[in-house]
Amino acid sequence: MTAINTPAAPCAPEDVTRVACIGAGVIGGGWVAHFLARGYDVTAWDPAPDAELKLRRLVDAAWPALTQLGLADGASRDRLTVAATLEEAVADAQFVQESAPEKLELKRDLLAQLDAAAPAGAVIASSTSGYPMTDMQTTAADPGRLVVGHPFNPPYLIPLVEVVGGERTAEHAVNWASRFYDVAGKSVITMKAEVPGFIANRLQEALWREALHMVANGEATVREIDDSITEGPGLRWAFMGPMLTFALAGGEGGMAHMLDHFGPSLKSPWTRLEAPELDKKLYDAVVEGCDEEAGERTIADLVAERDQGVIDVLRATGRLPQQRRAQRAAQHEKHQETA
Amino acid sequence: MTAINTPAAPCAPEDVTRVACIGAGVIGGGWVAHFLARGYDVTAWDPAPDAELKLRRLVDAAWPALTQLGLADGASRDRLTVAATLEEAVADAQFVQESAPEKLELKRDLLAQLDAAAPAGAVIASSTSGYPMTDMQTTAADPGRLVVGHPFNPPYLIPLVEVVGGERTAEHAVNWASRFYDVAGKSVITMKAEVPGFIANRLQEALWREALHMVANGEATVREIDDSITEGPGLRWAFMGPMLTFALAGGEGGMAHMLDHFGPSLKSPWTRLEAPELDKKLYDAVVEGCDEEAGERTIADLVAERDQGVIDVLRATGRLPQQRRAQRAAQHEKHQETA
């Protein structure tokens, strides 16, 4: 990122009370629901004629889930205003979230319009899952305040937001957005570089493509693929990521032992994706990264955490052995009644 | 699989009371713990001199978790016998689980020995994560009863077992093993063909390799990779697989709409793994597979299930917004005390 002479944001991330959401489809509407539940005043705009009706329905549908998640003090659906124009929507916004359809020209024009209409310095984030900000910020007068804030669907339930700037984004805008999302209850990853697919989508896309290859080659069915994840590694990934999980396969030696032991099998044809060369630099980065992530937790701590997590997740999703037995018995009974 | 004249198993999968576990390391010991918790008599054997002490420690360490999962009637650690020889261990076993180190020659010899010593027709399963049964069953007198029963670590917590035979395995042995694991409380996927890495490992290996590439290229840190999964797609994969989850991205149109809409972006450089050609055959297999998996559940049902699942998993793993706030406050307090 080059240093850009972008005005400071109208207020600190902690002091935001008013946000604007532009585009009110599944993603934009999901953002509206999230910000309302976190106690913000939200102004929304969408050019579709029936947008307000659909948006209010989406928020109503999400509200029971948001109530379960826990509403912030003062959170209310009454704090949603649907504006008649884009300009009105962002006129006094302290933060703008853009969630228009994934079309580059449309995004580019829309961001330039938002930049022209929003208060000086207010950060404008795009929900794009596909375009680098560098390609979208080309026509805005102040590209320095434009960032990507990429959510996961639905934005009111899945905590992750990936934040990254373009070549012409000011560093302070990236930092402001990251801090704001954090205050607003999201889990933020601030990326240093624009990578196609960001992080999570790159990882899940690799898995998804391998799955499609397997279906295409008759190696597994759709259901087998899904079951293999939900009954296997997916149980751990809900609370412990793939790297730390792999470190536990190394026993007390952790990731270093794991790489020493299983490094050679990286070259096995266990997937269609070629493995990178496991040179010293990569080896060190992975081992040190795992150590840093583990912090003060020993391998025994992590194993205990994983085990308890798996049990808690199984219980929460109704899959303890006795829960499964009860479900089968109920299904069997239902089956006999209808037979 | 060719038809093999393998004797029938000594009893039906439902009537098994005695199993033998050969190899008592992390995986073999995990199997011992699982079978004890499910109420079986277990006889174990391992050539290491301190094997019994380590095994009993592993079972003791796992027992609180197994108690939380729910013990079967009559389950007891007292029903574990450690045999002095391999022959003694399997002499009257109704099922044998082999979990020796991953060395092909060793596995091959061991399976032949087990085949020579076990009761006629008793199914013998290998925990191998790497070798096709076709390569391991070459020297056994009765290769027909040898199957792969590949668990996930730890076998007493992660339900998944992938079952597959080799070229010389009898079909009835594969079916018997699948049914037995099901009765014994595992989630079984019975594969029709030997695929390197089976299913779950192929999928997680694709994700893991993409992650390693990202670390090697400075695109993401270990912690960012882990956070992107646990705060993003991993939350859903604990209870809904990647295929059905993707179908929900298609809105009411489901997987068909999703493929129509996002099919072209399959070619985007969102991961290093090339996508397969999305021809009519693959398209139909994916759409029909999702429909079949969804069964009578509508898209709205699946969305509600996903949302409730995410909330339940967040709550169970202490990550509802108020839980996170309380944790931060506690950490802050602890920090101030030690400062």
Side-chain angles (χ1 to χ4, degrees), chain A residues 68-69 160 187 202 209-210 213 226 231 236 238 243-244 266 268 270 273-274 293 308 319 322, chain B residues 68-69 153 187 202 209-210 213 226 231 238 243-244 266 268 270 273-274 293 308 319 322:
Chain A
Q68 279 195 71
L69 279 179
L160 185 64
S187 284
R202 277 192 90 86
R209 288 184 187 185
E210 183 65 32
H213 279 294
D226 277 354
E231 300 290 311
R236 307 176 291 202
M243 307 294 282
L244 212 51
L266 258 181
S268 309
W270 276 17
L273 178 56
E274 291 283 322
E293 191 184 339
Q308 191 60 52
R319 290 182 290 167
Q322 66 265 35
Chain B
Q68 279 195 71
L69 280 179
N153 192 38
S187 283
R202 277 192 90 86
R209 288 184 186 185
E210 183 65 32
H213 280 292
D226 277 353
E231 300 291 309
M243 306 295 282
L244 212 51
L266 259 182
S268 307
W270 277 16
L273 179 56
E274 292 283 322
E293 191 184 340
Q308 192 59 53
R319 291 181 290 166
Q322 66 265 35

Side-chain angles (χ1 to χ4, degrees), chain B residues 28-44:
Chain B
W31 274 119
V32 168
H34 175 77
F35 287 126
L36 288 172
R38 297 284 94 229
Y40 292 94
D41 290 311
V42 180
T43 307

Side-chain angles (χ1 to χ4, degrees), chain A residues 5-251:
Chain A
N5 191 16
T6 294
C11 67
E14 292 78 4
D15 299 330
V16 171
T17 61
R18 295 185 305 276
V19 307
C21 291
I22 303 302
V26 172
I27 296 296
W31 274 119
V32 168
H34 175 77
F35 287 127
L36 287 171
R38 298 283 96 231
Y40 293 94
D41 290 310
V42 181
T43 307
W45 177 77
D46 188 295
D50 57 348
E52 176 159 4
L53 183 70
K54 280 194 179 166
L55 172 58
R56 294 200 184 267
R57 271 199 201 137
L58 187 155
V59 172
D60 286 344
W63 210 252
L66 289 163
T67 306
Q68 279 195 71
L69 279 179
L71 299 171
D73 289 345
S76 166
R77 279 172 283 183
D78 297 339
R79 292 172 68 182
L80 168 62
T81 308
V82 177
T85 65
L86 173 153
E87 288 73 18
E88 193 187 316
V90 302
D92 66 351
Q94 293 156 326
F95 172 75
V96 180
Q97 182 79 39
E98 171 273 308
S99 311
E102 289 286 305
K103 288 172 188 155
L104 181 57
E105 279 303 323
L106 188 156
K107 292 257 191 202
R108 199 179 269 158
D109 293 349
L110 187 58
L111 289 170
Q113 268 184 282
L114 292 171
D115 174 46
V123 171
I124 300 170
S126 172
S127 298
T128 185
S129 59
Y131 300 115
M133 182 46 82
T134 297
D135 295 346
M136 294 192 295
Q137 68 190 165
T138 49
T139 56
D142 177 11
R145 59 157 146 183
L146 302 180
V147 304
V148 167
H150 174 240
F152 274 69
N153 192 39
Y156 56 85
L157 279 185
I158 306 289
L160 185 64
V161 182
E162 292 165 316
V163 178
V164 64
E167 280 172 21
R168 301 177 69 203
T169 303
E171 199 177 342
H172 69 75
V174 172
N175 295 338
W176 190 98
S178 296
R179 177 71 188 138
F180 167 72
Y181 284 126
D182 184 54
V183 172
K186 304 297 290 181
S187 284
V188 182
I189 295 181
T190 309
M191 297 179 67
K192 285 169 290 290
E194 293 184 291
V195 179
F198 311 109
I199 300 175
N201 270 344
R202 277 192 90 86
L203 298 174
Q204 70 170 347
E205 186 80 10
L207 186 152
W208 161 245
R209 288 184 187 185
E210 183 65 32
L212 285 180
H213 279 294
M214 293 191 81
V215 172
N217 285 278
E219 294 165 346
T221 66
V222 166
R223 183 195 289 259
E224 284 168 350
I225 284 161
D226 277 354
D227 287 349
S228 80
I229 296 297
T230 57
E231 300 290 311
L235 280 171
R236 307 176 291 202
W237 290 340
F239 58 89
M240 185 177 282
M243 307 294 282
L244 212 51
T245 305
F246 267 111
L248 301 189

